Amino acid sequence: MPLLDELRARLGEGAVLSGTALAGRSAGFWHPEPLRAAALVRPASTDEVALALALCHAAGQPVVPIGGLTNLVGSAACGEGEIALSLERMNRVEAVDVAGRALTVEAGLTLQRAQEVAAAHGLLLALDFGARGSCTIGGVIATNAGGNNVLRWGMARAQVLGLEVVLADGRVLGALTPYRKANAGYDLKQCFIGSEGTLGVVTRAVLALQERPAGGATALLACERFTDVTALLRLVDRALAGTLSAFELMWGDFYALNAAAGGGAAPLPAEHGYYVLVEACGESIAADEARLQAALEAAFEAGHVSDAVLAKSGPERERLWAIREATEPEQHAYRATQTFDVSLALDAMEAYVGRVRAGLARAAPAAVLHVFGHLGDGNLHLLVGHPEAVAQATTAAVEALVYEPLVACGGCISAEHGIGLEKKRWLPRSRSADELALMRGLKRTFDPAGILNPGKVFDPDPQG
Amino acid sequence: MPLLDELRARLGEGAVLSGTALAGRSAGFWHPEPLRAAALVRPASTDEVALALALCHAAGQPVVPIGGLTNLVGSAACGEGEIALSLERMNRVEAVDVAGRALTVEAGLTLQRAQEVAAAHGLLLALDFGARGSCTIGGVIATNAGGNNVLRWGMARAQVLGLEVVLADGRVLGALTPYRKANAGYDLKQCFIGSEGTLGVVTRAVLALQERPAGGATALLACERFTDVTALLRLVDRALAGTLSAFELMWGDFYALNAAAGGGAAPLPAEHGYYVLVEACGESIAADEARLQAALEAAFEAGHVSDAVLAKSGPERERLWAIREATEPEQHAYRATQTFDVSLALDAMEAYVGRVRAGLARAAPAAVLHVFGHLGDGNLHLLVGHPEAVAQATTAAVEALVYEPLVACGGCISAEHGIGLEKKRWLPRSRSADELALMRGLKRTFDPAGILNPGKVFDPDPQG
């Protein structure tokens, strides 16, 4: 492949891996198979990313930008004829602006490392989710990642102050600006955030940091009715005024599965309808615990909560979070699990989950539904576990059972995971024909040759 | 004009004002002259907006969407050949989702009315700034407005959950979704937010609401050095953990002008270098005052603050805010005032203001500089007052004195006011040629005929 020779000549031998040099590379956290790609290209600077893309663009070579490969919907899946572009050699921390609470990093840095750098300066990078140790800042931004603290600090979009992107043709765009306000023409960086690598390659970013809360208090609460859960959200949000950082909801059956798997006694008996993990981060542990305690008492008094436990130590807090975040119990219990990530209005949730459950009971009676989610964000995750090997027709039927009633009640087929390949065929059910036409228009504007992550989110433009 | 006849026939007589019917209409809060326009078209529904735009599009008729006409940079300025499109008859509150904390409104509603509706439900619409009584939700979104509480709750962009927009050709786009997370393809609404009415007309929106804090405490602090101010920001942000809602900085000369004009004794003597208005909104007034008091004591102890006063009543709080928000003292003191709205890194601010002041002393010695701003957002407002009538050449020279050193230190020529007409010629100094080319690309994608607010932000595309 003459293009690979050219890339090697310009970027150096070690920057371009192909053939046997790729054998040890996996296709990602959820995909034990080897990475398939014509080559893995690893530029060491923005200039090298620009050079690599300019060469690929000239050759009409499809390029798949990859990060930590933890994506759940195939947004970074690579084909044999495609070049995987990894920023793993661009993982430097470039600047920590302590007064301005801003962190400038290269996009190949992992989220966890960025969190650690912020913490070392008494600051907080308020993005957090399970894949923190593997996922990269570039991937976080390209997928507009969410996670556990969106309720308080927003999605990745809310935390990007400055962005540098290389366009498909090698032009370098954007500015590493550290301020929170800029209304100087169209805010182009918004187009790249959440575009799943189809419009440009994120190379560097300035991320907003927060003062690191000195406090922290965590509680697990049990409720019987869904209306108790939504009333509880309002009650604790008011009572914890500004310090509520997480409000994670688990349906009773999800809690039962994960609490039983942890070893030792469950923090609360698995007999309630719903469980809510509430976390407050304010000025001190004592103040946070006092406010949370008072909120719990008010919730008991109002009849919204039937049982509760406050974490009394770091390990107790970790145990509560492990119940919420563990994926192993589901993996052990089922031969295959289908994962869904939807958003919808709070007042439509209970009926929606009921419809999915009823549909499954009819069409896939062996399947087991577990539901949890980030209630304050309107975001539910549905896990459909299959105890036995499952036919393609059944998984397709389950998809329809999940998405049909969702679309009917105005919900969204992806809250935080993205579309990638796996949800592509459902996108036209979630977005209008005019919206899809404009998305294709944006794609043509930023990547007219269509070389960047082709076929992700939507199929290549027949006109392009 | 046959188009006006057609519009009257389709939308009704009262929907289309022209000629003498327009005489009583002013060009806006800052412009006492009459509104110039071929006509003022006032549709009463999204369908009517779509119809009006489809007709204008077919006729190649330029359309200027107008809101409350409080914009400071000419984003809604209208020419004699243009049709002004006002949503003043679309000012309904459509839904208040209390559990989901979301408010669905038509875009012609004023910000203040939207705030009041939220308050009546124990909720908070956390957008706020001086023009609240006149500006409309459509304008707020089209200009990505900021204001006093961005530090805690973000710009307008952060508070738009769902958006309905009519495109230039009359297609209706978007969804009035109430949830906080949606990663289902490109987030098209981001393109319209802050695009100053050049890409589409905002017709309805779903806005995020917050639980209304029951508390509230406000203090005015005096500092001597700029480094004290930035240290103070970190200190109070940590101490007020999650409840800090405003951190408004005034240079000593701005404070002196506005405090003297208020009548009665100034809350603090006008002898200090800097003044900071700090506001906390948490779970109760008592808790907020205690936390703020403790923060002030720590700031005194650390040597960052030389004087301070805590508002002890609603009127005392209003008096402090009046000093920060008053525009009359500047208007009375000077024949003309040039207003600038810039953002830059906190650690570059002191030197930057020094350079502007030194430049003015040389080039426009009669001019007086007053500076204030939203420090936590990196946003400064500079007012350059001219005691006597001032020549066009002088105001142009002042612009250069403000923007040249700003661009040199990586600052942004518009933090929250936008570009409109007045900053258009400076945009190419603030954004790269590639960025401008992509902005034009977006304009072509959304409004290929170029009928929407032509000539705002940048000049019409020579290709388009």
Side-chain angles (χ1 to χ4, degrees), chain B residues 144-407:
Chain B
N144 187 27
N148 301 328
N149 301 129
V150 171
L151 177 66
R152 179 160 171 189
W153 287 292
M155 307 277 283
R157 186 182 301 280
Q159 304 180 49
V160 178
L161 302 179
L163 196 64
E164 181 187 79
V165 174
V166 180
L167 297 180
D169 61 7
R171 278 179 293 166
V172 180
L173 198 79
L176 296 171
T177 52
Y179 32 82
R180 280 149 179 78
K181 283 180 175 168
N183 275 334
Y186 306 159
D187 189 358
L188 295 171
K189 70 174 179 289
Q190 304 298 339
C191 295
F192 301 102
I193 299 169
S195 70
E196 304 185 29
T198 61
L199 299 181
V201 176
V202 172
T203 44
R204 293 191 288 171
V206 186
L207 301 170
L209 302 179
Q210 316 295 329
E211 290 302 322
R212 193 165 192 83
T218 310
L220 180 70
L221 291 68
C223 304
E224 303 312 325
R225 295 162 302 188
F226 193 82
T227 50
D228 288 325
V229 176
T230 55
L232 181 66
L233 171 60
R234 291 205 62 193
L235 189 155
V236 300
D237 202 357
R238 267 197 306 270
L240 303 181
T243 64
L244 176 64
S245 309
F247 190 98
E248 299 285 298
L249 174 62
M250 296 169 267
W251 262 248
D253 43 17
F254 175 91
Y255 174 82
L257 179 74
N258 276 10
L268 292 177
E271 64 194 24
H272 303 288
Y274 302 90
Y275 295 79
V276 180
L277 187 61
V278 173
E279 195 155 271
C281 291
E283 72 271 30
S284 70
I285 291 176
D288 286 342
E289 288 187 347
R291 267 195 299 264
L292 188 50
Q293 189 74 49
L296 294 191
E297 283 162 21
F300 268 110
E301 232 166 82
H304 299 315
V305 168
S306 41
D307 205 351
V309 58
L310 197 69
K312 289 290 178 198
S313 66
E316 281 188 28
R317 173 187 182 271
E318 280 163 32
R319 169 83 171 107
L320 297 184
W321 272 104
I323 293 174
R324 160 61 187 80
E325 289 199 320
T327 55
E328 301 80 12
E330 181 82 21
Q331 283 170 20
H332 291 153
Y334 304 101
R335 284 283 288 276
T337 295
Q338 292 175 263
T339 303
F340 300 95
D341 160 51
V342 304
S343 46
L344 67 165
L346 265 61
D347 58 12
M349 275 184 185
E350 190 183 12
Y352 167 68
V353 172
R355 287 188 63 183
V356 173
R357 203 179 293 281
L360 284 174
R362 281 193 309 272
V368 180
L369 177 68
H370 291 128
V371 186
F372 64 103
H374 315 284
L375 191 78
D377 315 324
N379 179 193
L380 294 183
H381 297 300
L382 293 87
L383 305 177
V384 178
H386 300 282
E388 303 299 336
V390 61
Q392 176 72 32
T394 305
T395 59
V398 167
E399 272 190 26
L401 287 169
V402 168
Y403 290 135
E404 295 283 0
L406 180 75
V407 170

Side-chain angles (χ1 to χ4, degrees), chain A residues 98-99 101 121-123 143-144 147 150 152 155 157 167 171 173-174 178-188 190-191 195 198-199 211 233-234 237-239 241-243 282-283 291 343-346 374 376-377 379 410-412 414-416 418-419 427 431 434-435 438-439 441-443 445-446 457-458, chain B residues 98-99 101 121-123 143-144 147 150 152 155 157 167 171 173-174 178-188 190-191 195 198-199 211 233-234 237-239 241-243 282-283 291 343-346 374 376-377 379 410-412 414-416 418-419 427 431 434-435 438-439 441-443 445-446 457-458:
Chain A
V98 173
R101 283 91 63 92
H121 290 83
L123 294 164
T143 58
N144 186 29
V150 170
R152 180 161 172 189
M155 307 277 284
R157 186 182 302 280
L167 296 180
R171 280 180 293 167
L173 198 80
Y179 31 82
R180 279 150 179 76
K181 282 180 177 168
N183 276 336
Y186 306 158
D187 189 359
L188 296 171
Q190 304 299 339
C191 295
S195 70
T198 62
L199 299 180
E211 291 301 323
L233 172 60
R234 290 205 64 193
D237 202 357
R238 267 197 306 269
T243 65
E283 72 270 31
R291 267 194 299 262
S343 45
L344 67 164
L346 266 62
H374 315 284
D377 314 324
N379 179 192
C412 178
S414 176
E416 53 183 15
I419 297 298
L427 191 63
R431 306 290 295 263
D434 285 337
E435 287 177 301
L438 280 172
M439 290 185 206
L442 290 185
K443 176 73 175 171
T445 300
F446 287 95
V457 186
F458 42 76
Chain B
V98 173
R101 283 90 63 93
H121 290 82
L123 294 163
T143 58
N144 187 27
V150 171
R152 179 160 171 189
M155 307 277 283
R157 186 182 301 280
L167 297 180
R171 278 179 293 166
L173 198 79
Y179 32 82
R180 280 149 179 78
K181 283 180 175 168
N183 275 334
Y186 306 159
D187 189 358
L188 295 171
Q190 304 298 339
C191 295
S195 70
T198 61
L199 299 181
E211 290 302 322
L233 171 60
R234 291 205 62 193
D237 202 357
R238 267 197 306 270
T243 64
E283 72 271 30
R291 267 195 299 264
S343 46
L344 67 165
L346 265 61
H374 315 284
D377 315 324
N379 179 193
C412 178
S414 177
E416 52 183 14
I419 297 298
L427 191 63
R431 305 291 294 263
D434 285 336
E435 287 176 301
L438 280 172
M439 289 183 207
L442 290 186
K443 176 73 175 170
T445 300
F446 288 95
V457 187
F458 43 75

Side-chain angles (χ1 to χ4, degrees), chain A residues 14 31 33 63 78 120 124 142 154 166 179 182 191 213 254 259 286 303 333 337 344 352 366 371 375 391 432 434 449:
Chain A
H31 302 278
E33 67 270 18
V63 174
C78 230
L124 173 74
V166 180
Y179 31 82
C191 295
F254 176 90
T337 295
L344 67 164
Y352 167 69
V371 186
L375 190 77
S432 72
D434 285 337

